[in-house]
Amino acid sequence: MSIADQYREVREAIDKAVREANRLPEEVTLVAVSKTHGEEAILLVIEAGQRVFGENKVQEAKGKWPSIRERYDDIELRLIGPLQSNKTGEAVALFDVIESVDREKIAREIAKEGAKQGRAPRLYVQVNTGEEKQKAGIAPKEAVAFVERCRSEYGLTIEGLMCIPPFEDNPGPHFALLAKLAKEAGVEKLSMGMSGDYETAIAFGATSVRVGTAIFGARETAQ
């Protein structure tokens, strides 16, 4: 099956999950995760109609997206991987959405770079719902207070919350927890669900799902 066919299959599955959840199609955004995939594969998905893409690494995105965006100026680019503080300036310049705000230092740097560049990427706080030591994200019990500090101390507008449940866990409780925290924090967007569980995420209220493998297939060598 071609990449374009796989993309259409994912779109159909999302539409079906949205209907089953009694939600509207415009309530769920598909983020096509193009990390480790080259321009040729990305262009196939763009030509099939996709306009929102996710990347894990600032340097990789910087190497391939500027030239693509010269041809397609309606692309929305999201950073969905961990952000190192020394890459914040480049991230603010390149991405429309940063989904991995997870600590004070990053919030402070985004605020500083945003003011310097006159740019305000839309922001999500990443929550480590499984409290895994090896994984980025703020602890659930600290998430609501952190969102408030982002607003009050750094003047940042937090659009939503993001999570990546532990691979071996049932994702449902993690998605439910993220939805609960978002309500408490007063944010409306939920970035949750990947290739293996995006239909479940939609049932739990996801407003964006991050799908890579189901669209592009196995990863290519990193750019």
Side-chain angles (χ1 to χ4, degrees):
M1 190 183 291
S2 71
I3 286 175
D5 287 338
Q6 288 168 178
Y7 167 73
R8 283 186 280 270
E9 201 168 72
V10 168
R11 283 251 50 120
E12 288 169 6
I14 288 173
D15 291 344
K16 181 172 182 283
V18 167
R19 287 194 303 273
E20 289 176 352
N22 292 316
R23 300 178 63 194
L24 299 172
E26 58 268 26
E27 292 178 9
V28 181
T29 298
L30 169 59
V31 181
V33 179
S34 48
K35 63 181 183 181
T36 77
H37 295 283
E39 185 173 310
E40 184 179 351
I42 291 169
L43 290 176
L44 291 171
V45 179
I46 291 175
E47 290 297 330
Q50 179 65 15
R51 288 297 182 271
V52 184
F53 289 83
E55 289 282 344
N56 260 40
K57 296 179 179 178
V58 175
Q59 285 305 110
E60 182 188 341
K62 191 179 173 186
K64 64 189 181 186
W65 277 103
S67 63
I68 297 174
R69 294 179 99 177
E70 283 179 7
R71 285 170 279 170
Y72 300 91
D73 61 5
D74 57 346
I75 295 293
E76 177 179 292
L77 194 57
R78 300 189 177 204
L79 178 64
I80 60 173
L83 177 56
Q84 298 171 307
S85 57
N86 65 346
K87 301 288 185 188
T88 306
E90 292 175 303
V92 168
L94 182 61
F95 291 94
D96 304 294
V97 183
I98 296 173
E99 295 198 2
S100 46
V101 181
D102 65 349
R103 58 195 187 281
E104 300 277 346
K105 187 174 185 180
I106 290 298
R108 186 166 57 247
E109 288 297 315
I110 289 173
K112 185 174 78 176
E113 285 295 336
K116 185 191 298 184
Q117 297 182 33
R119 276 181 60 83
R122 289 150 45 211
L123 304 173
Y124 287 60
V125 165
Q126 182 173 352
V127 182
N128 187 347
T129 56
E131 302 195 57
E132 299 172 275
K133 290 180 181 175
Q134 78 280 12
K135 192 174 282 181
I138 196 153
K141 62 181 178 293
E142 299 169 15
V144 175
F146 178 63
V147 169
E148 183 50 45
R149 283 199 304 280
C150 286
R151 292 170 177 148
S152 60
E153 293 185 27
Y154 305 112
L156 298 174
T157 299
I158 303 298
E159 178 173 292
L161 304 182
M162 183 267 261
C163 75
I164 306 170
F167 178 74
E168 67 281 359
D169 282 12
N170 172 2
H174 294 273
F175 298 153
L177 173 59
L178 198 72
K180 175 177 175 287
L181 293 172
K183 191 171 183 181
E184 291 174 6
V187 299
E188 295 184 353
K189 302 292 187 179
L190 293 168
S191 173
M192 56 191 196
M194 298 188 290
S195 286
D197 56 20
Y198 63 87
E199 290 149 310
T200 302
I202 289 168
F204 278 91
T207 59
S208 59
V209 294
R210 309 178 306 273
V211 182
T213 304
I215 294 172
F216 291 100
R219 298 178 185 180
E220 295 179 6
T221 304
Q223 302 293 304

